Amino acid sequence: MFARALATLLVALWLVPLSLMAQELPQWEIHDRLAFVDVTVIPMDSERTLPGHTVLVEGNRIVAVGPTAQVEIPAGTHRIEGEGRYLLPGLAEIHAHVPPGQDPPTELIEEYLFLYLANGITTIRGMLGAPYQLDLREAIRAGEVTGPHFYVGAPSLNGNTAPTPADAEARVREHAEAGYDFLKIHPGVPLDAWDRMVEVAEEVGITYAGHVPAAVGIEHAMRTGMATIDHLDGYLQVTRIEGVSGETHDPAEVYRATDPERLDALVTELAQRGVWQVPTQYLWNHLNGFVDADSMLALPEFRYISAEQRESYRRANQARIDNPAITEESTLAHREMRQDLLRATHAAGVPILMGTDSPQLFNVPGFALHREIPLMEDAGMSPFEVLVSGTREVGRYVAESLGQDGTFGTVEVGQRADLLLVSGNPLESLDALQDVEGVTAAGRWLSGEAIRTGLDRIEARYRD
Ligand SMILES: [Zn+2]
């Protein structure tokens, strides 16, 4: 009883800052109807473009897509001139973080959500839950907070929160009851606790995603229905040449010890089972390697985060430079290995979802996606395939794994109006995704001008 009263109180306290949030950065424009007039549509149902088209949005849905001359635009519709521009489904950051803890600063929450939108991201999947995020999800859904659709992972299941089968069962039941969209797995879950989690999750109808605990292993994880495996976690345990380990070999040698046959067996089974991979290559390059912090922090996106955050990145990178086990050679060998793993994964037909794990090490929310994308291409994904991983594949994931409305991720009549307007053709160069001229999520509109204004305001907050 007390817990429930406290929960209500927390929700009430939370609602006050939510309304304050509305004054800091540009907010959604809400129109009954929107028309993107005379735009080139990239529908993402197949690899094609539809020049000279008009897309009509009513409420949160697309209601017409056709050659401009054939689409009647009712009076009072908000018109967005599309000539010379491209309209595609909004992108997703499927390994996102919003500020952690139960009571983060509201400006920071607002900023993260804005940075995602400013980079064309209309869907995020939160990978470390806290109760406030359930309220945030609903506030976004209701249009009270400007942000991408938010699918909320539960607080982590790991060796501390789920050390026994009974603990695992209790966590699954409480997280499902609280209304989280899926379970987030971290390392440390023992095998017996995992197996109980699987049973109870099946019973209550919730899926699980994230890391592969070492005691479980990727083979058991995929055979027991893990929905998404993030960071290519668990691969090394089963793809490395047997007998090569950090105890007997130096790190670069360990990274070069992928056994092609074992890798092939793994990716073949992952493809058969359709287990989504969220590679997060850009982050992992930094987690198991190092870079020159000065040149990294000189990249334009770092103007949108605080000096403290930049310093924390610098310190984390320095710890890697100071670690004798991480050398320039091992950094390169590790990168090459991860690219090889992703190349094999994609070539085998394993489904891939777009994600970065922002704001971990050097990953600025939203902008990190544009650092991840070249690595996806380098591993053999075409621009169209990269876009699939951030659009219609996300709709399929939401429908099939989360059991929710997955009618988004293509530009077609009846789909949810999650759209991204850009000034160049991303099928020719994915760099075009960086010139955002506006986004809609569920038909709510944020113009390119509003995006530039918001980014300027965030930059001004952090100017040193
Ligand atoms: Zn993460």
Side-chain angles (χ1 to χ4, degrees):
M1 200 57 213
F2 175 71
R4 177 140 310 186
L6 183 64
T8 311
L9 181 67
L10 286 173
V11 169
L13 286 174
W14 166 243
L15 287 175
V16 178
L18 271 188
S19 56
L20 289 177
M21 275 170 71
Q23 293 151 14
E24 299 287 328
L25 293 174
Q27 303 296 300
W28 289 130
E29 282 176 37
I30 306 207
H31 302 279
D32 295 339
R33 273 186 308 272
L34 283 177
F36 295 87
V37 182
D38 216 18
V39 73
T40 298
V41 174
I42 302 176
M44 290 306 296
D45 53 349
S46 63
E47 186 170 353
R48 61 181 183 142
T49 56
L50 305 170
H53 270 53
T54 289
V55 174
L56 187 64
V57 172
E58 212 172 276
N60 65 353
R61 295 278 152 185
I62 297 169
V63 295
V65 180
T68 296
Q70 292 171 26
V71 176
E72 203 186 311
I73 303 175
T77 300
H78 182 76
R79 290 171 65 101
I80 297 150
E81 296 310 324
E83 211 191 321
R85 293 170 168 177
Y86 293 79
L87 187 71
L88 68 156
L91 304 174
E93 163 59 277
I94 220 71
H95 195 119
H97 290 276
V98 294
Q102 175 55 8
D103 193 23
T106 49
E107 310 93 78
L108 197 62
I109 301 168
E110 184 196 31
E111 263 171 39
Y112 279 27
L113 297 177
F114 194 88
L115 292 175
Y116 289 129
L117 289 175
N119 283 281
I121 295 164
T122 54
T123 292
I124 60 171
R125 186 180 69 155
M127 292 305 281
L128 192 58
Y132 92 87
Q133 296 175 14
L134 297 167
D135 301 322
L136 182 61
R137 175 185 70 193
E138 297 314 310
I140 292 170
R141 191 173 283 166
E144 293 157 15
V145 167
T146 296
H149 299 285
F150 183 24
Y151 298 94
V152 186
S156 157
L157 265 71
N158 56 52
N160 295 324
T161 61
T164 69
D167 291 308
E169 171 167 1
R171 295 297 88 74
V172 175
R173 291 193 190 283
E174 71 200 29
H175 295 330
E177 167 78 10
Y180 289 102
D181 294 307
F182 64 97
L183 302 169
K184 164 73 191 275
I185 312 295
H186 265 133
V189 179
L191 185 58
D192 57 355
W194 174 276
D195 285 338
R196 187 65 190 136
M197 174 201 76
V198 168
E199 285 171 0
V200 181
E202 164 91 27
E203 181 202 316
V204 302
I206 194 166
T207 56
Y208 29 99
H211 288 262
V212 173
V216 175
I218 192 168
E219 288 163 327
H220 190 66
M222 69 177 165
R223 289 168 194 160
T224 48
M226 191 158 189
T228 82
I229 292 173
D230 296 43
H231 323 300
L232 304 178
D233 208 26
Y235 272 54
L236 300 191
Q237 242 182 342
V238 298
T239 62
R240 191 169 282 163
I241 294 167
E242 282 183 84
V244 177
S245 81
E247 279 152 41
T248 48
H249 296 70
D250 75 48
E253 280 180 89
V254 173
Y255 295 138
R256 292 197 192 103
T258 303
D259 179 332
E261 274 176 39
R262 298 183 87 196
L263 176 56
D264 188 60
L266 172 65
V267 295
T268 301
E269 188 170 350
L270 286 169
Q272 271 165 6
R273 296 181 180 278
V275 184
W276 284 282
Q277 303 296 312
V278 189
T280 68
Q281 302 293 77
Y282 186 64
L283 171 68
W284 238 254
N285 284 350
H286 304 139
L287 288 183
N288 278 339
F290 59 76
V291 288
D292 175 55
D294 286 328
S295 47
M296 187 58 107
L297 292 171
L299 293 172
E301 63 263 35
F302 289 94
R303 71 184 78 170
Y304 303 115
I305 57 170
S306 68
E308 300 84 73
Q309 181 73 64
R310 291 195 295 261
E311 265 324 292
S312 89
Y313 288 155
R314 185 188 292 281
R315 277 196 305 275
N317 187 61
Q318 189 60 43
R320 287 162 173 83
I321 294 175
D322 295 341
N323 179 347
I326 304 178
T327 61
E328 263 172 65
E329 197 198 357
S330 79
T331 297
L332 282 175
H334 176 258
R335 282 183 194 181
E336 273 168 34
M337 173 208 66
R338 288 196 55 98
Q339 289 298 94
D340 289 346
L341 298 182
L342 178 54
R343 194 170 295 112
T345 298
H346 171 63
V350 180
I352 290 170
L353 293 170
M354 186 183 272
T356 75
D357 207 350
S358 304
Q360 283 230 57
L361 192 50
F362 293 126
N363 277 23
V364 177
F367 291 92
L369 207 57
H370 305 298
R371 305 282 172 204
E372 181 74 16
I373 283 172
L375 298 172
M376 298 169 90
E377 288 190 275
D378 176 67
M381 296 175 73
S382 70
F384 179 72
E385 289 167 337
V386 170
L387 291 175
V388 165
S389 77
T391 58
R392 70 171 200 221
E393 197 59 22
V394 179
R396 191 169 77 86
Y397 166 70
V398 166
E400 292 180 12
S401 180
L402 303 186
Q404 299 183 36
D405 178 11
T407 56
F408 61 93
T410 58
V411 185
E412 293 172 280
V413 170
Q415 293 287 78
R416 194 168 71 194
D418 299 349
L419 300 166
L420 165 58
L421 185 67
V422 290
S423 49
N425 183 353
L427 292 174
E428 279 168 13
S429 166
L430 290 167
D431 291 346
L433 298 172
Q434 298 177 42
D435 293 315
V436 177
E437 292 295 336
V439 285
T440 63
R444 299 169 185 128
W445 172 238
L446 195 66
S447 69
E449 203 188 321
I451 287 170
R452 288 183 284 275
T453 301
L455 288 176
D456 285 349
R457 280 187 205 162
I458 296 171
E459 184 184 354
R461 280 178 193 169
Y462 295 132
R463 201 164 286 147
D464 340 84

